[in-house]
Amino acid sequence: MFRLIRLVIFTMLAFVAGVFYERSNTSQACDALGGDMAGGLCITQGGS
């Protein structure tokens, strides 16, 4: 039973770590484009 609980806990931790990793990558890509992150979205001053 302990193995099952440990598996669930490690799976949840890996998922949370993956979410933070992707948010960091998205934030860096947004900065490279000259945008600002707001509510998980990249806001740029578009227009042409």
Side-chain angles (χ1 to χ4, degrees):
M1 184 67 172
F2 175 71
R3 289 182 183 178
L4 182 60
I5 293 171
R6 186 177 61 181
L7 174 66
V8 171
I9 290 171
F10 284 148
T11 302
M12 289 183 346
L13 288 174
F15 178 77
V16 170
V19 168
F20 281 116
Y21 179 77
E22 279 300 313
R23 288 180 59 96
S24 174
N25 285 346
T26 304
S27 177
Q28 289 175 355
C30 185
D31 287 341
L33 291 172
D36 293 319
M37 291 297 289
L41 299 173
C42 183
I43 309 298
T44 60
Q45 299 298 325
S48 54

